[in-house]
């Protein structure tokens, strides 16, 4: 069904049919692949996790399947396409009114906002209010992409690039900025001890890879659940293989919507008469920065330990333990200071674990509705992700749903939380504008890249003529 829908939508906005069909087929392949990997992981770990709970008394009964299965589940809902259409229209209106310079072509990751809207509906919200929440978050993240653009230029050492991102993981920036400012006041001297992330990654090498971290988890769970030596080795290699495969198959999902993204870009360029824009991409264009991976490697064991003792947490980090929903935002706010990234990351990880626990009933029920619930898991078990992007937005969706479902305290809580969310973002915006002015004062004029790209585009147009 998603093959047909994605193909027809891309074709309808002007993508060549063969390219549109290619994207649809890639999506179908990705859905098939991720389903098989989930079944492999849950099949091997189901018994061990039940034994883990029984032998330790720690109720970490929610299976962490990582982001790719959640994307599969969310894209299985027709509402995701509805939210996508609205968000594209809103982005084009913002561009036309010159409220933003960012064209969001990260079509695939609309599932992050859709997840929030669907979660709100699950807990009791109606479609109208859930849609308004999705649009609100979509507008905020586009504003955020404009604020971050000079920092991306600085981190990439390239002031002529058009790249920015509208990825939802960067909506944790305001919270991180609070801790970053506290760090300035309380521990500025720690910056003197910062170390080279590239060298750390080189020293860790294979032992910090996804495969190795999967093996550590397998050994840990196997020992804690009192499995045999043979079973421990099986858990090791299955976890290692699945963490690697989650990443590989995740890239297939992204590739599958490239034709649609290109179609949206071409359509916007036609309507906006050649205006030069920043292009909102998925976050990995910044993945060349070694700090992202060094911090993720250090935070993985920290998150595992926190999950064991954190009150209210019921999710054991597994598929999401490589904290890609956490570290990119840390990189932007701290500007790559690794000690800050690790300390602040360790402080904010509980927010992700609590959000994963909170969303588990919704994820589980929706997976069953769209036929994506792992066959090897018992019907009483739940699924979620430990580092799902947008934990604050998940709390907003939960409060809105419960409030509209009849709980007046939750409804009041939603409006208070929404006001706090907005005020914190406005404070963060002021800090980022100060930073951007700093870049300009240092000689990095943030508009120079736009002027240069516009000049190049005009010269190319003359050459074509």
């Amino acid at each position: 069904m998603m093959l047909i829908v994605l193909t027809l939508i891309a074709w309808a906005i002007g993508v060549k049919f063969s390219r549109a069909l290619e994207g649809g087929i890639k999506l179908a392949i990705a859905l098939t692949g991720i389903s098989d990997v989930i079944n492999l992981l849950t099949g091997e770990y189901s018994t061990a996790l039940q034994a883990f709970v029984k032998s330790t008394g720690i109720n970490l009964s929610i299976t962490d399947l990582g982001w790719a299965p959640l994307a599969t589940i969310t894209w299985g809902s027709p509402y995701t396409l509805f939210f996508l259409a609205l968000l594209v229209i809103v982005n084009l209106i913002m561009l036309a009114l010159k409220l933003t310079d960012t064209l969001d072509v990260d079509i695939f990751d609309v599932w992050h906002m859709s997840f929030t809207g669907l979660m709100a509906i699950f807990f009791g919200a109606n479609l109208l209010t859930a849609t308004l929440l999705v649009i609100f978050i979509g507008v905020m993240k586009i504003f955020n992409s404009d604020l971050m653009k000079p920092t991306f230029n600085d981190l990439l050492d390239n002031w002529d690039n058009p790249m920015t991102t509208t990825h939802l993981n960067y909506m944790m920036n305001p919270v991180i900025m609070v801790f970053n400012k506290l760090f300035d006041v309380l521990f500025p001297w720690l910056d003197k001890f910062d170390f080279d992330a590239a060298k750390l990654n080189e020293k860790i090498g294979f032992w910090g890879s996804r495969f190795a971290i999967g093996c550590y988890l397998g050994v840990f769970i196997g020992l804690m659940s009192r499995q045999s030596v043979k079973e421990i080795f099986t858990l090791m290699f299955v976890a290692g293989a699945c963490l690697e495969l989650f990443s590989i198959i995740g890239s297939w999902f992204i590739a599958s919507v490239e034709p649609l993204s290109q179609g949206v870009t071409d359509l916007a360029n036609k309507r906006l008469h050649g205006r030069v824009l920043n292009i909102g991409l998925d976050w990995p264009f910044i993945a060349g920065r070694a700090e992202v991976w060094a911090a993720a490697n250090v935070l993985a064991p920290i998150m595992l330990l926190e999950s064991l003792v954190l009150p209210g947490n019921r999710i054991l980090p597994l598929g999401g333990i490589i904290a890609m929903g956490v570290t990119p935002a840390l990189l932007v706010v701290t500007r790559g200071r690794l000690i800050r990234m690790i300390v602040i990351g360790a402080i904010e990880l509980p927010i992700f674990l609590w959000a994963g626990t909170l969303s588990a009933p919704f994820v589980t029920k929706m997976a069953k509705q769209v036929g994506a619930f792992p066959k090897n898991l018992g019907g009483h078990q739940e699924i979620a992700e430990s580092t799902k992007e947008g934990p604050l937005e998940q709390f907003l969706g939960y409060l809105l749903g419960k409030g509209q479902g009849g709980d007046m305290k939750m409804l009041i809580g939603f409006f208070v939380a929404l006001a706090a969310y907005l005020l914190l973002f406005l404070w963060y915006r002021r800090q980022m504008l100060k930073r951007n002015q700093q870049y300009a004062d240092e000689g990095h004029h943030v508009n120079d890249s736009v002027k240069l790209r516009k000049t190049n585009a005009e010269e190319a147009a003359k050459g074509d003529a």
Side-chain angles (χ1 to χ4, degrees):
M1 182 58 68
M2 288 306 301
L3 182 156
I4 294 168
V5 169
L6 186 65
T7 300
L8 291 178
I9 289 176
W11 189 33
I13 65 169
V15 177
K16 188 178 177 183
F17 182 76
S18 60
R19 282 278 291 151
L21 180 61
E22 177 187 331
I25 291 172
K26 284 181 178 177
L27 180 59
I29 292 170
L31 289 168
T32 304
I34 204 68
S35 175
D36 287 341
V37 175
I38 291 169
N39 286 331
L40 172 63
L41 181 69
T42 55
E44 294 297 341
Y45 272 79
S46 179
T47 303
L49 288 174
Q50 290 177 38
F52 175 89
V53 172
K54 191 177 291 185
S55 64
T56 62
I58 300 173
N59 185 24
L60 301 180
S61 56
I62 299 172
T63 303
D64 174 16
L65 297 179
W67 71 264
L70 270 66
T72 304
I73 292 163
T74 309
W75 272 101
S77 168
Y79 286 121
T80 298
L81 295 171
F82 169 68
F83 293 138
L84 170 60
L86 289 178
L87 289 169
V88 168
I89 292 168
V90 167
N91 188 199
L92 293 176
I93 291 171
M94 292 175 70
L95 287 166
L97 296 176
K98 297 189 176 179
L99 297 174
T100 182
D101 290 319
T102 296
L103 173 63
D104 184 7
V105 300
D106 185 15
I107 298 295
F108 174 70
D109 284 326
V110 73
W111 76 267
H112 296 141
M113 277 76 69
S114 178
F115 185 94
T116 302
L118 292 170
M119 185 172 167
I121 292 170
F122 172 81
F123 283 111
N126 61 45
L127 179 59
L128 175 61
T129 54
T131 301
L132 291 174
L133 179 61
V134 167
I135 292 173
F136 170 75
I137 295 168
V139 169
M140 297 286 281
K141 74 186 185 74
I142 289 173
F143 284 146
N144 191 34
S145 70
D146 290 327
L147 293 171
M148 293 187 292
K149 181 68 175 73
T151 299
F152 285 127
N153 293 346
D154 185 49
L155 290 169
L156 294 169
D157 196 24
N158 180 3
W159 288 79
D160 300 329
N161 79 83
M163 296 182 296
T164 185
T165 183
T166 53
H167 202 281
L168 193 61
N169 61 20
Y170 292 100
M171 288 307 292
M172 280 298 290
N173 285 10
V175 173
I176 298 169
M177 183 67 82
V178 171
F179 290 115
N180 196 52
K181 290 295 180 183
L182 288 173
F183 210 106
D184 286 339
V185 175
L186 300 175
F187 309 111
W189 50 272
L190 273 177
D191 289 334
K192 292 186 291 186
F193 301 99
D194 222 22
F195 44 93
D196 190 315
K199 288 181 179 177
L200 177 64
N201 286 344
E202 190 178 332
K203 285 179 181 178
I204 296 174
F206 167 80
W207 304 106
S209 67
R210 292 182 181 88
F211 183 83
I213 290 172
C215 288
Y216 307 150
L217 279 169
V219 171
F220 173 76
I221 293 170
L223 291 174
M224 295 297 285
S225 58
R226 301 176 185 175
Q227 303 294 299
S228 67
V229 173
K230 176 185 174 183
E231 288 166 334
I232 289 173
F233 273 103
T234 301
L235 294 173
M236 276 179 61
F237 297 129
V238 167
C242 287
L243 287 190
E244 288 284 0
L245 289 170
F246 278 142
S247 175
I248 293 167
I249 297 173
S251 68
W252 300 351
F253 279 101
I254 295 165
S256 71
V257 294
E258 282 179 1
L260 180 59
S261 296
Q262 188 59 52
V264 171
T265 304
D266 293 342
L267 184 65
N269 287 336
K270 284 181 186 176
R271 299 297 180 196
L272 297 172
H273 310 293
R275 176 179 159 196
V276 178
L277 303 171
N278 297 322
I279 305 300
L281 305 170
D282 197 0
W283 77 265
F285 72 84
I286 201 76
R289 292 287 304 209
E291 297 91 344
V292 170
W293 306 103
N297 286 335
V298 176
L299 287 174
I302 292 174
M303 179 161 54
L304 179 60
L305 292 173
E306 286 184 358
S307 72
L308 299 176
V309 298
L310 184 66
N313 173 58
R314 293 193 297 112
I315 186 168
L316 179 70
L318 187 61
I321 198 166
I322 309 296
M324 292 300 97
V326 181
T327 54
L330 291 166
L331 174 75
V332 167
V333 176
T334 67
R335 289 191 271 193
R337 286 173 285 189
L338 193 55
I339 291 177
R340 290 187 182 223
M341 289 178 69
I342 293 167
V343 172
I344 297 172
I347 294 171
E348 69 167 344
L349 280 174
I351 299 173
F352 288 84
L353 292 169
W354 281 324
T357 300
L358 187 71
S359 67
F362 155 67
V363 175
T364 304
K365 184 172 181 180
M366 192 162 178
K368 290 177 179 178
Q369 285 179 346
V370 302
F373 188 79
K375 296 173 185 176
N376 296 312
L377 280 182
H380 64 285
Q381 287 185 268
E382 294 180 309
I383 58 175
E385 185 196 356
S386 58
T387 51
K388 164 75 178 66
E389 295 87 346
L392 299 179
E393 292 73 18
Q394 289 176 61
F395 285 116
L396 287 175
Y398 174 81
L399 289 170
L400 174 62
K402 286 291 187 180
Q404 278 209 299
D407 190 330
M408 190 54 64
K409 288 182 180 178
M410 288 289 187
L411 190 60
I412 294 170
F414 167 74
F415 286 113
V416 171
L418 188 66
Y421 182 88
L422 183 58
L423 289 171
L424 184 59
F425 183 86
L426 292 174
W427 171 82
Y428 155 78
R429 177 179 178 273
R430 191 161 62 246
Q431 307 309 313
M432 291 297 284
L433 289 175
K434 287 179 186 176
R435 176 191 291 188
N436 294 343
Q437 185 58 49
Q438 219 174 28
Y439 286 131
D441 293 343
E442 291 169 0
H444 301 302
H445 297 292
V446 297
N447 290 323
D448 285 354
S449 61
V450 174
K451 291 175 183 175
L452 179 63
R453 283 167 18 228
K454 189 172 182 179
T455 301
N456 290 343
E458 288 170 352
E459 288 176 357
K462 288 177 184 175
D464 290 343

